[in-house]
Amino acid sequence: QVQLVESGGGLVQAGGSLRLSCAASGRTFSSYAMGWWRQAPGKEREFVAAFSWSDITYYADSVKGRFTISRDNAENTVYLQMNTLKPEDTAVYYCAARTMRRHYLDYAGYGYWGQGTQVTVSS
């Protein structure tokens, strides 16, 4: 069992930055590969960024070069640094932990999810 608690969402103007945090409790953080997903109004949940099981980072093309995923295993926390935000980045952002040995793009592989945090980018 693991619980994920997110923070850092908010309202920002286009071109601004936010850093999302996801603190894990319960089972040790190092047992899972972590990722970030987002869901915009009326859209399906989409992949944003993740660590592979070998700790390589991967990003959706839409955020590559602007977003950075990182983690602090000692603090059981994963981060998403979001720079040069655009209105199309507006969505609810979710931290998730993969509990199965599946590809980072496979939604079904993520067994634990945070509550989601709203990110709104105004133009």
Side-chain angles (χ1 to χ4, degrees):
Q1 282 274 58
V2 62
Q3 294 78 46
L4 305 175
V5 180
E6 300 174 336
S7 62
L11 175 65
V12 65
Q13 295 187 48
S17 299
L18 286 173
R19 189 180 75 159
L20 306 183
S21 299
C22 175
S25 62
R27 192 170 179 181
T28 56
F29 189 81
S30 60
S31 297
Y32 304 99
M34 305 298 297
W36 289 92
W37 293 65
R38 68 186 183 186
Q39 188 166 21
K43 305 293 184 181
E44 294 184 353
R45 193 168 297 185
E46 66 175 351
F47 169 77
V48 176
F51 289 100
S52 74
W53 290 105
S54 57
D55 294 329
I56 299 171
T57 56
Y58 293 92
Y59 299 92
D61 288 341
S62 59
V63 307
K64 194 173 299 181
R66 300 188 296 119
F67 290 11
T68 303
I69 186 172
S70 62
R71 69 184 182 190
D72 185 338
N73 286 343
E75 296 292 331
N76 283 343
T77 303
V78 63
Y79 304 95
L80 184 68
Q81 178 67 46
M82 305 183 295
N83 297 326
T84 320
L85 283 161
K86 304 175 181 179
E88 52 262 44
D89 294 319
T90 296
V92 177
Y93 284 71
Y94 297 90
C95 174
R98 295 204 301 283
T99 57
M100 303 178 186
R101 294 288 180 174
R102 307 178 75 151
H103 197 269
Y104 61 89
L105 290 174
D106 190 347
Y107 176 88
Y110 293 83
Y112 297 101
W113 294 82
Q115 80 285 354
T117 185
Q118 177 70 47
V119 173
T120 302
V121 184
S122 62
S123 60

